[in-house]
């Protein structure tokens, strides 16, 4: 039973990396086939545009691949590739790159790579939601101002009863 969680995470990581490389291989082969029949200038742009995705794949591989010893036991299971946060963003950048590659394959155009302009916008939106309360004042503008004409809050029967009995000293003796 010991190490069952580590084994499960290692298997899940291997499965996620296998799926990622399968998709990358299929789309990459189609892109290379398309580039063989296109101009030389596109090779430079495709290489340049794939640098962020290559960096993300490298980080996912380096941190997510489990390490085994000579006997086949898990030394390190790798970080969980199914977690939310930065890992999810790395996968998103790789998948956006594959989406842009599909535009190259289907339409022989690099214009679908403009979708990467939305990444900083999305990143700013996520950071604002995360860091906004810590910076103070950013979310306070949305809160409604208390008005003087607002009715006083009514108390429940239980609260009234506790307040009424709160001043009495109650002792129970046998």
């Amino acid at each position: 039973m010991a190490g069952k969680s580590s084994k499960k995470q290692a298997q899940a990581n291997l499965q996620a990396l296998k799926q990622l490389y399968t998709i990358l291989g299929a789309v990459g082969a189609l892109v290379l086939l398309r580039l063989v029949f296109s101009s030389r200038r596109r090779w430079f742009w495709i290489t340049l545009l794939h640098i962020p995705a290559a960096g993300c794949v490298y980080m996912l591989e380096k941190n997510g691949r489990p390490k085994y010893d000579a006997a086949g036991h898990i030394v390190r299971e790798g970080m969980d590739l199914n977690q939310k946060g930065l890992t999810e963003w790395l996968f998103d950048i790789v998948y956006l790159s594959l989406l842009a590659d599909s535009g190259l394959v289907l339409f022989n155009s690099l214009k679908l790579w403009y979708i990467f302009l939305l990444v900083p916008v999305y990143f700013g939106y996520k950071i604002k939601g995360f860091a906004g309360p810590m910076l103070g004042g950013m979310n306070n503008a949305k809160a409604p101002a208390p008005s003087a004409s607002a009715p006083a809050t009514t108390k429940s029967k239980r609260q009234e009863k506790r307040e009424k009995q709160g001043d009495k000293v109650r002792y129970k003796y046998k």
Side-chain angles (χ1 to χ4, degrees):
M1 281 279 205
K4 188 174 183 181
S5 173
S6 296
K7 290 177 187 175
K8 278 186 176 181
Q9 183 175 335
Q11 287 297 88
N13 285 354
L14 286 174
Q15 186 66 29
L17 288 172
K18 180 182 175 187
Q19 180 183 5
L20 179 68
Y21 286 133
T22 303
I23 295 170
L24 280 173
V27 174
L30 292 173
V31 167
L32 287 176
L33 188 64
R34 175 60 92 168
L35 286 176
V36 167
F37 298 112
S38 70
S39 69
R40 298 274 181 221
R41 194 180 82 191
R42 291 227 174 145
W43 285 93
F44 172 74
W45 287 109
I46 291 298
T47 305
L48 185 69
L49 291 171
H50 277 91
I51 290 174
C56 290
V57 170
Y58 173 75
M59 290 303 295
L60 290 169
E61 173 69 31
K62 184 177 183 227
N63 295 324
R65 175 85 49 191
K67 304 252 188 284
Y68 296 96
D69 61 2
H73 296 95
I74 296 175
V75 175
R76 188 180 73 87
E77 68 270 5
M79 83 176 179
D80 187 11
L81 294 180
N82 293 324
Q83 67 183 349
K84 303 288 183 197
L86 184 62
T87 306
E88 186 179 37
W89 291 358
L90 293 174
F91 275 111
D92 289 346
I93 289 174
V94 171
Y95 291 142
L96 280 175
S97 174
L98 292 174
L99 177 69
D101 282 342
S102 68
L104 176 68
V105 170
L106 296 175
F107 307 117
N108 197 19
S109 172
L110 292 175
K111 290 182 180 178
L112 210 52
W113 281 93
Y114 287 124
I115 199 165
F116 268 95
L117 295 176
L118 295 177
V119 171
V121 173
Y122 179 71
F123 182 71
Y125 169 74
K126 289 300 245 182
I127 291 297
K128 180 184 177 269
F130 173 72
M134 286 186 265
L135 296 176
M138 290 181 77
N139 291 339
N140 292 342
K142 295 178 185 177
S147 61
S149 63
T153 58
T154 59
K155 296 180 181 178
S156 68
K157 290 181 183 180
R158 183 176 181 190
Q159 286 175 334
E160 290 175 2
K161 186 177 178 182
R162 282 193 166 192
E163 285 179 0
K164 192 166 46 170
Q165 294 177 355
D167 294 337
K168 295 181 184 176
V169 179
R170 298 163 71 183
Y171 295 103
K172 288 189 178 182
Y173 295 103
K174 288 187 179 184

